[in-house]
Amino acid sequence: MPTDSIAPSEDVSSKVDIPPVEDLLSTAVEAVGGVERPGQITMVRAVQHAIESGDHLAVQAGTGTGKSLAYLIPSIRHAMTSKGAVVVSTATIALQRQLVDRDLPRLAKALAPQLPHEPAFAILKGRRNYLCRYKASAGWPDEEQDQLFDPREVNATGRMVQRIQEWANETETGDRDELVPGVNEQAWRQFSVSARECLGATRCPSGTECFAELARARAGESDVVVTNHALLAIDAMEDFPLLPEHEVVVVDEAHELVDRVTSVVSGELSETMVTVAARRVGKLIEQHLADRLMESGEDLKALLAAAPAGRLDELPQVLGMTLALVRDAAWACVTALGPRNGDKDDPEGAGLRRAAFTSLDEVHDTAQRMLDAFGHAEEVDRAEVVWLEAGTDRRPPLLRVAPLTVAGMLRDKLFGDRTVILTSATLALGGAFDGLARQWGLGNGKNTAGDETREKESGEGGEEEKDGKKRRKGGKAGAGWAGIDVGSPFDHPRSGILYVAKHLPQPGRDGLPEAYLEEITELIEAAGGRTLGLFSSMRAAKAATEALRDRLSVPLLCQGDDSTMLLVKQFAEDEPTCLFGTLSLWQGVDVPGPSLRLVIIDRIPFPRPDDPLSSARQRHVAAKGGNGFMSVAATHAALLLAQGAGRLLRSQHDKGVVAVLDPRLATARYAGFLRDSLPPFWPTNDPAKVRSALKRLSDS
């Protein structure tokens, strides 16, 4: 990671006339050897206007637009004239590294002569991502070590622990992502603490050299702070700040914001969690209290092992009693531990107490939260959903709880007192921003992807939309939002074909029909390989791979054969090779050039009908008078379809076909909404035309 530049303490911004964003963009593009694009210019102006007006902005910017420069330049310009940093949040580590290792260093160097000082930047992650020097030196016990019954797994984790110990003596950042190859969670947990487990810099013996605190200090001295959606959500929702003071947030990969925030605010409860809490507190309080908590965990284990997996619409009496036992036993242990700030002169004891409090609080609060999720007279009053997730060979069954919507949280906590810029290649679903705007908790806005946004009685948001202009702290009172699609530098109708196999039968639940396998074979043969197969499940991807390897003369890789990174590398380097896989490939593959001429999508990627959270959200929207299928399932499918289709064109010279085998994309009543969410490829249902086009590309 590049050394973060440190801005001078003297405020010289008033002594230097900062050029407008258009001039800064020209300087930056020239420095990196690029070419300004109309969409990039439109976006940089729109972002600048949003920052100046205080209104929120959603920007759809297709691949190749250069959106990173388009939001970084006005962000840096704002940081130069204000006292706070600009926070840039991403969903993936890959984009974080691109920003910090490539985009920001080049941009800072290029713009420095025209700015009061060279822009400073830093990356900041959650505390769990940094090695804790004190925990590493204190040798705290691992309460979960006997959960690993496989000797091979125990030995592998032991080797990882040894590697971490060696790396701890060399690292300058303590950042887990710099430990290559990576380590499993079991090993890393022995060297890291959560924010709630941390003793604090002033009490910890290693506080002055704490990696997490040093990262926060660098962030506090920076103009641009790069973080992730999870930390952004935690910062917005907790009472204590994790990020430096800031007025502007840029959310890149904004199509993933709702899912990432949902993950942060979801909870889980299992016998393992209860056992860990009991072990942590066991040596600190009277044994009979710890034993009571351990026994409640055993009761929970027996109950979950016998119960069927799935969504819980009503609270079974025996489960309610068990959750109450767990809750009360955990609270008894919390009470017995005494004051939370005890043992000030005993850091090791304070660390063990803090770890015990953290585990007990999580067990107690989650059990109470699950009990509170039931007992509502009407479905419309329900706020959360609880479900049982089946166990695996590696972990026991567990209960999960998640909010039915995060719109209110986002509206009040994230959008409440700051300006937010949201951008992605996929935001305007069905040609409008309305769907995602409701999920973000935003009300009416100017929508330049289509008509002006209309007030919709969708049921998702409901009252949240009516008071969508309320702002906490008064800082953003009256702020609105706008949506703008700046287009793409690609000529989609001339570069790509959208082929929907209308003649095929509808997909069923019994695997891929023979007609699908024949269609895939003919398409791949016409393309000479060069195919990315995106499947709705890993089972379908593996079944297609097994069935087609004997039929095809080209190499065929399947996700899971090796690490995804190595598979994508092999696919990109060997032109005839095909790669089949599932969800991570829908959004994580960037292969420009002749190695990718055909993207095959086996079916519309609706969430599974038995998915507990998705199905509960659909029912909740319907109860509020909206269309649950369109608001939840169709929106989910549209996002994934657009992301999958976006794998085809990654550079100006790319050409090819996106083939969707599911005929519902041509025949269903919702088909128009889904097609309007896709790039504007030339459409056809004629298989002969598609095979001819692929053959011409293969021969060229």
Side-chain angles (χ1 to χ4, degrees):
M1 186 171 73
T3 302
D4 301 326
S5 55
I6 304 300
S9 57
E10 181 186 4
D11 184 8
V12 297
S13 60
S14 60
K15 302 178 183 179
V16 178
D17 290 329
I18 301 178
V21 289
E22 294 90 346
D23 293 351
L24 294 176
L25 177 62
S26 296
T27 299
V29 170
E30 182 179 356
V32 300
V35 177
E36 287 187 45
R37 301 182 177 98
Q40 189 179 46
I41 297 171
T42 300
M43 180 173 174
V44 80
R45 290 172 176 165
V47 173
Q48 177 67 17
H49 175 73
I51 292 174
E52 291 175 346
S53 68
D55 286 344
H56 308 302
L57 176 69
V59 186
Q60 178 164 284
T63 302
T65 302
K67 62 181 170 66
S68 295
L69 283 184
Y71 65 66
L72 286 174
I73 286 172
S75 296
I76 289 173
R77 191 180 190 279
H78 172 74
M80 293 288 136
T81 59
S82 68
K83 295 182 179 180
V86 171
V87 172
V88 177
S89 177
T90 77
T92 61
I93 293 174
L95 182 54
Q96 287 180 33
R97 302 262 41 119
Q98 175 187 315
L99 290 171
V100 174
D101 293 344
R102 191 189 73 179
D103 294 349
L104 279 166
R106 294 195 297 180
L107 186 58
K109 183 177 180 180
L111 298 184
Q114 296 179 279
L115 299 175
H117 60 260
E118 181 171 330
F121 56 90
I123 189 169
L124 186 61
K125 305 174 184 179
R127 191 171 291 272
R128 271 284 190 197
N129 292 278
Y130 298 98
L131 181 138
C132 174
R133 289 186 185 273
Y134 180 59
K135 187 171 184 179
S137 62
W140 294 356
D142 175 19
E143 303 88 351
E144 298 179 58
Q145 56 189 353
D146 65 350
Q147 299 296 322
L148 296 173
F149 299 111
D150 187 339
R152 293 171 300 178
E153 198 162 329
V154 172
N155 291 336
T157 298
R159 290 191 293 271
M160 291 178 186
V161 167
Q162 185 175 355
R163 264 203 312 119
I164 298 173
Q165 291 171 330
E166 295 169 353
W167 172 75
N169 296 322
E170 305 169 356
T171 179
E172 296 181 0
T173 66
D175 187 337
R176 178 181 180 177
D177 291 330
E178 295 183 11
L179 180 59
V180 179
V183 297
N184 64 28
E185 188 63 26
Q186 182 75 22
W188 182 253
R189 193 180 294 119
Q190 298 180 46
F191 296 87
S192 66
V193 296
S194 67
R196 296 185 182 278
E197 292 171 321
C198 177
L199 292 174
T202 57
R203 298 180 62 197
C204 178
S206 302
T208 57
E209 53 182 2
C210 171
F211 287 125
E213 292 297 327
L214 291 172
R216 287 190 66 192
R218 285 193 295 270
E221 297 169 334
S222 298
D223 300 300
V224 178
V225 178
V226 179
T227 188
N228 56 65
H229 294 351
L231 187 62
L232 179 69
I234 295 170
D235 175 75
M237 294 171 192
E238 293 286 357
D239 294 331
F240 50 88
L242 300 175
L243 295 168
E245 182 179 346
H246 58 282
E247 299 173 345
V248 176
V249 175
V250 178
V251 181
D252 203 342
E253 302 172 308
H255 62 280
E256 294 199 42
L257 179 62
V258 169
D259 285 346
R260 299 301 172 107
V261 172
T262 298
S263 295
V264 167
V265 297
S266 296
E268 63 181 50
L269 186 65
S270 68
E271 173 264 339
T272 300
M273 293 173 58
V274 179
T275 299
V276 168
R279 287 179 177 172
R280 284 184 171 183
V281 76
K283 297 180 180 179
L284 303 175
I285 62 173
E286 294 181 19
Q287 190 61 45
H288 74 92
L289 292 174
D291 289 345
R292 176 183 164 193
L293 180 60
M294 186 74 76
E295 290 168 3
S296 73
E298 292 171 355
D299 290 343
L300 182 66
K301 177 182 179 180
L303 178 61
L304 298 186
R311 192 181 73 209
L312 298 172
D313 294 330
E314 302 293 337
L315 179 64
Q317 183 178 8
V318 65
L319 177 58
M321 295 174 59
T322 304
L323 287 174
L325 286 173
V326 170
R327 176 200 61 193
D328 295 344
W331 184 248
C333 292
V334 169
T335 303
L337 269 177
R340 290 179 181 263
N341 293 323
D343 297 328
K344 292 184 178 180
D345 298 325
D346 178 14
E348 183 173 353
L352 294 174
R353 284 170 54 82
R354 182 65 65 92
F357 272 122
T358 300
S359 287
L360 291 169
D361 287 343
E362 185 176 11
V363 168
H364 172 274
D365 295 350
T366 305
Q368 183 63 57
R369 181 177 170 187
M370 290 175 174
L371 290 168
D372 291 342
F374 299 96
H376 301 287
E378 302 290 340
E379 173 62 32
V380 72
D381 298 322
R382 192 190 298 265
E384 300 203 288
V385 58
V386 178
W387 71 95
L388 174 61
E389 192 171 290
T392 67
D393 293 339
R394 293 175 175 268
R395 62 159 183 78
L398 53 85
L399 284 170
R400 292 192 182 275
V401 58
L404 288 167
T405 175
V406 295
M409 293 182 229
L410 288 173
R411 181 200 66 216
D412 295 337
K413 303 294 187 179
L414 178 61
F415 294 97
D417 58 357
R418 54 182 65 83
T419 300
V420 182
I421 315 296
L422 306 112
T423 186
S424 170
T426 308
L427 292 181
L429 303 179
F433 292 90
D434 304 44
L436 286 180
R438 286 194 299 273
Q439 292 186 14
W440 297 330
L442 297 175
N444 275 11
K446 183 69 78 173
N447 180 354
T448 55
D451 298 327
E452 185 169 340
T453 304
R454 299 177 301 278
E455 192 76 44
K456 291 191 175 182
E457 296 294 332
S458 69
E460 183 180 355
E463 293 301 318
E464 296 161 352
E465 289 191 3
K466 294 177 184 177
D467 64 350
K469 292 187 178 181
K470 292 181 181 178
R471 307 292 173 189
R472 68 185 175 115
K473 300 182 183 177
K476 296 291 292 181
W481 71 276
I484 182 172
D485 183 359
V486 301
S488 166
F490 302 150
D491 188 347
H492 286 92
R494 290 180 176 271
S495 301
I497 296 173
L498 173 62
Y499 165 54
V500 181
K502 187 177 179 180
H503 64 283
L504 291 179
Q506 285 196 20
R509 296 187 178 184
D510 300 326
L512 289 171
E514 177 61 27
Y516 278 50
L517 296 174
E518 292 177 0
E519 187 80 20
I520 295 173
T521 302
E522 292 173 355
L523 289 169
I524 291 177
E525 287 177 343
R530 302 178 176 88
T531 299
L532 177 65
L534 302 177
F535 292 84
S536 54
S537 68
M538 184 56 73
R539 184 179 67 174
K542 290 181 176 179
T545 302
E546 184 177 346
L548 295 177
R549 271 186 171 145
D550 293 336
R551 304 189 191 191
L552 296 171
S553 59
V554 295
L556 179 53
L557 308 175
C558 184
Q559 193 174 5
D561 290 347
D562 206 331
S563 75
T564 299
M565 182 179 67
L566 291 177
L567 290 173
V568 172
K569 184 174 184 290
Q570 186 176 344
F571 171 61
E573 292 177 350
D574 185 23
E575 281 190 26
T577 298
C578 301
L579 174 60
F580 287 2
T582 185
L583 189 59
S584 61
L585 298 186
W586 285 73
Q587 303 182 81
V589 175
D590 186 3
V591 180
S595 291
L596 178 52
R597 295 298 196 200
L598 173 62
V599 175
I600 294 177
I601 297 174
D602 70 327
R603 64 191 299 161
I604 298 172
F606 291 119
R608 289 172 54 96
D610 59 353
D611 178 82
L613 182 55
S614 174
S615 59
R617 283 178 165 172
Q618 288 187 59
R619 185 181 62 179
H620 188 66
V621 170
K624 297 176 77 173
N627 186 324
F629 172 80
M630 293 301 295
S631 294
V632 180
T635 294
H636 172 92
L639 271 175
L640 271 182
L641 270 179
Q643 288 287 310
R647 300 309 96 199
L648 181 66
L649 303 184
R650 310 303 294 178
S651 74
Q652 292 280 4
H653 304 293
D654 289 349
K655 295 181 182 295
V657 172
V658 173
V660 181
L661 306 185
D662 191 335
R664 293 176 294 177
L665 192 60
T667 60
R669 56 181 174 80
Y670 49 78
F673 171 78
L674 297 179
R675 291 196 303 270
D676 287 344
S677 305
L678 298 175
F681 297 117
W682 184 78
T684 184
N685 299 324
D686 188 335
K689 288 183 179 178
V690 171
R691 290 195 295 269
S692 296
L694 287 170
K695 190 69 168 62
R696 288 194 300 272
L697 277 177
S698 177
D699 294 340
S700 63

